[in-house]
Structure formats: structure tokens, C-alpha cells
Amino acid sequence: GLAALFFSFLAFIEAKQAKRAAKAAGTIVKMQTVVSDLTEISTRLDRLDPDIEFTQARDFINEVSRRIRRLVSPFTHDADLAGPITILRESLTRVIASLNDVLQEPGAPLAPRATYYGVQSSLMTVNGQIADLLGLLESKSAHIPEHNKRRWWQRRRSPKPQRFQTDEDTRTE
């Protein structure tokens, strides 16, 4: 009776700790996935083609903006990440504005590489902010506690150290 109640309580505590550990592991996996996706976006930003046309740039910026916003949205309420995410989102809005500034007159031909030079600075700012966010996410995922603290009833006793036989022990006089 009483022993069964005690062991049920211990099982409940173990299950609660396992749930915490699973949640921490899930958070780490999510962060690592976001880090991987943001790294891929950052590489694409680094390799922006100087001969990009306006419509290609518009599609590229829309895709990158949408992906970044989707990736960072689960972390907007995290106190450590909320500020950098807000700044990144504002910079994405400025990239779209810089692209719109490229068009001076609708239908007028653009100078060669005008689109690239019009958005390049804004995109590099976004890329720098992605790098900052990547560093924060990597650091944060490395420091997520898994609550592995063992209670007194969970501690395993370490085995007694084995004494190895030396040559002196085997000598007989």
C-alpha cells in the first residue's frame, strides 16, 4: 500500500523530468533547424547576382523576407531574441522600400545593375543581422538546461574503485 504509493510518486517525478528533458530537446532541435535555414539564406544573400533584374530581385526579396519571418516568429516572445528579431524585421521592410526606390518612373528603363546597387546595402545589413541572430541562437541552444539534477533517491552509488594488482603485490618472499 504505502510502498506502492511511494513508488507511484517517484514514477510521477521521473515522468515530469522526462517531459522537461524532451521539451528542452525539442527546443534545441527547432533552434538548430532555424540556424541551418538562416545560414542557407545568408549564403544566398552573399551570392546575390549583380546583374539581377528588378522582377527577379522583387521575387527574391519577397521569398527571403517571408522565409525569415516564418523562421523567427516562434522566438519573438523570447526575451533574449525579441530585440534582434524586431530589428531584423524592420530591416526587411527597409529592403522592400529600397527596391521600390529603384523604380523612378514606371516603365522607364533602368541603368545597368541599378537594381543590385539599389538593394545591395540593405540586403547586407539584413545579412549582418542574420549573423547576429545566428550567434544568439547557437549560444542559446548550447545553454538550454535539461534539468538533469538527480534527487537523493535517484543517485547511483559509484562502484568502489578497483585495486589493480601491482608487481609488489604478486611478489612473495
Side-chain angles (χ1 to χ4, degrees):
L2 189 57
L5 182 61
F6 177 71
F7 286 115
S8 294
F9 176 73
L10 291 180
F12 170 76
I13 297 293
E14 286 289 327
K16 197 170 187 176
Q17 288 176 340
K19 181 180 176 182
R20 269 192 230 127
K23 187 174 181 178
T27 301
I28 290 170
V29 168
K30 176 66 177 168
M31 283 185 181
Q32 290 172 342
T33 301
V34 168
V35 164
S36 175
D37 289 350
L38 286 175
T39 301
E40 185 262 327
I41 290 169
S42 178
T43 302
R44 287 184 63 202
L45 290 172
D46 284 338
R47 295 184 179 147
L48 184 65
D49 181 10
D51 294 319
I52 193 166
E53 297 290 328
F54 182 86
T55 55
Q56 293 169 322
R58 182 195 61 220
D59 294 345
F60 175 74
I61 290 168
N62 285 336
E63 176 197 345
V64 165
S65 179
R66 185 175 45 253
R67 282 187 66 197
I68 290 172
R69 290 173 189 276
R70 181 182 54 81
L71 288 169
V72 301
S73 66
F75 304 102
T76 56
H77 298 295
D78 186 303
D80 298 330
L81 302 174
I85 288 172
T86 300
I87 292 169
L88 178 58
R89 285 178 164 178
E90 291 168 356
S91 293
L92 289 169
T93 302
R94 282 192 291 277
V95 169
I96 294 168
S98 68
L99 179 64
N100 289 334
D101 290 344
V102 169
L103 289 179
Q104 296 180 10
E105 289 182 31
L110 294 174
R113 297 188 174 177
T115 301
Y116 175 79
Y117 292 121
V119 298
Q120 185 252 356
S121 176
S122 297
L123 285 176
M124 292 308 110
T125 299
V126 167
N127 205 6
Q129 292 165 344
I130 288 172
D132 292 342
L133 188 58
L134 284 170
L136 289 171
L137 286 167
E138 289 168 347
S139 174
K140 196 166 184 66
S141 69
H143 295 96
I144 292 179
E146 294 183 25
H147 301 284
N148 282 339
K149 185 177 175 186
R150 294 192 173 268
R151 308 286 190 248
W152 63 269
W153 64 84
Q154 297 171 320
R155 293 187 187 128
R156 294 190 180 132
R157 297 176 192 245
S158 57
K160 291 182 182 178
Q162 294 181 349
R163 186 168 184 269
F164 294 98
Q165 230 177 4
T166 62
D167 290 338
E168 292 178 17
D169 293 337
T170 57
R171 275 191 233 142
T172 56
E173 294 185 38

